[in-house]
């Protein structure tokens, strides 16, 4: 962890990845040697989330934001990590990955989704929706995914990045198909509100037509 801390202090994402590769290798070794190993819990107790949040909330470097996201998702299976990521507004961080640095600087905490402008942003969009679908597996994040800003982000990606269609629609289905009937109904109402519902209806009709 000292190397991660130093990378963050120096604002050097390359050093961060080099340090993380060492941590990741030891995580793998520990898990293979002992499936009940609690090294990940030790990392959380050692405040690894501090360095993850540094990346997630970086206002000038999408490379840092990508690093934060890729590392954060590896801890989703731990409840304590999910709690920390809820506090960090992880779904909003995913939407910020596709934004320009100027937009993030102005709108930090209130992401404004825009259509991807280049191949790198398309790559970031695919990463963002892939992780968003994973978040939809956990009740911790579902209310956050139902926020208008996140639904708008998903709809824009749905319309602008054809390769993301499967993951975005998968996310919506996970949000609606909850174990609790009342929760499912409430989430469905969120998806129907405003322009989001119109976009989804149009998209699903298009998908059905293509399948037919």
């Amino acid at each position: 962890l000292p190397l991660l801390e130093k990378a963050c202090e120096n604002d050097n994402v390359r050093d961060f990845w080099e340090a993380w590769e060492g941590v990741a290798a030891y995580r793998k070794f520990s898990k293979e040697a002992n499936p009940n190993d609690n090294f990940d819990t030790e990392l959380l107790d050692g405040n690894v989330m501090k360095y993850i949040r540094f990346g997630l909330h970086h206002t000038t470097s999408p490379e840092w934001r990508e690093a934060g996201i890729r590392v954060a998702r590896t801890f989703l299976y731990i409840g304590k990590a999910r709690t920390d990521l809820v506090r960090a507004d992880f779904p909003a961080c995913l939407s910020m990955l596709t934004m320009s640095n100027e937009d993030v600087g102005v709108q930090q905490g209130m992401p404004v989704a825009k259509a991807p402008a280049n191949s790198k942003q398309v790559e970031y969009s695919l990463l963002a929706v892939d992780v968003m679908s994973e978040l939809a597996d956990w009740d911790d994040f579902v209310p956050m995914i139902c926020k208008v800003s996140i639904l708008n982000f998903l709809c824009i990606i749905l319309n602008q990045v054809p390769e993301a269609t499967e993951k975005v629609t998968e996310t919506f289905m996970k949000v609606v198909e909850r174990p609790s009937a009342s929760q499912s109904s409430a989430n469905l109402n969120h998806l129907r509100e405003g322009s989001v519902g119109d976009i989804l209806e149009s998209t699903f009709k298009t998908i059905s037509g293509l399948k037919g």
Side-chain angles (χ1 to χ4, degrees):
L1 292 185
L3 292 178
L4 294 177
E5 182 175 18
K6 184 177 180 180
C8 292
E9 288 177 351
N10 294 334
D11 199 11
N12 190 318
V13 69
R14 182 174 298 178
D15 287 350
F16 177 89
W17 274 125
E18 288 181 1
W20 184 252
E21 285 176 3
V23 174
Y26 189 78
R27 288 175 81 191
K28 181 179 179 181
F29 169 78
S30 297
K31 186 61 67 175
E32 291 175 349
N34 180 8
N36 297 318
D37 181 80
N38 62 351
F39 181 61
D40 281 2
T41 302
E42 293 175 9
L43 287 174
L44 292 173
D45 291 341
N47 207 16
V48 70
M49 291 302 300
K50 173 184 177 181
Y51 314 121
I52 292 174
R53 287 193 301 271
F54 179 88
L56 292 177
H57 295 154
H58 207 286
T59 59
T60 61
S61 170
E63 291 81 11
W64 261 116
R65 298 195 289 273
E66 177 187 8
I69 288 167
R70 289 190 182 278
V71 174
R73 77 183 303 185
T74 69
F75 287 95
L76 286 174
Y77 75 99
I78 301 177
K80 180 180 179 180
R82 294 198 301 275
T83 298
D84 286 341
L85 290 170
V86 166
R87 292 185 186 134
D89 203 352
F90 196 23
C93 296
L94 295 177
S95 66
M96 285 195 294
L97 178 62
T98 64
M99 295 167 62
S100 68
N101 292 336
E102 292 78 9
D103 290 331
V104 172
V106 173
Q107 300 290 345
Q108 188 176 29
M110 298 178 61
V112 177
K114 293 186 177 181
N118 55 53
S119 59
K120 190 63 178 178
Q121 284 184 300
V122 168
E123 179 184 331
Y124 286 153
S125 297
L126 294 175
L127 172 61
V129 298
D130 187 44
V131 178
M132 195 78 76
S133 176
E134 190 172 348
L135 296 189
D137 291 327
W138 303 98
D139 288 340
D140 316 60
F141 298 103
V142 170
M144 307 174 80
I145 296 174
C146 287
K147 289 181 179 179
V148 172
S149 59
I150 301 302
L151 294 177
N152 284 340
F153 162 74
L154 290 171
C155 285
I156 288 175
I157 300 302
L158 188 63
N159 277 339
Q160 300 294 332
V161 185
E163 305 94 321
T165 299
E166 181 179 354
K167 282 297 178 181
V168 175
T169 52
E170 179 180 87
T171 300
F172 288 137
M173 294 307 297
K174 288 180 179 180
V175 165
V176 173
E177 295 175 348
R178 309 310 296 173
S180 164
S182 60
Q183 187 180 26
S184 294
S185 177
N187 293 343
L188 181 59
N189 287 334
H190 279 298
L191 297 186
R192 286 173 172 167
E193 289 177 356
S195 60
V196 173
D198 295 335
I199 293 172
L200 290 176
E201 182 179 2
S202 174
T203 300
F204 289 137
K205 284 182 178 178
T206 300
I207 293 172
S208 296
L210 290 173
K211 288 183 177 179

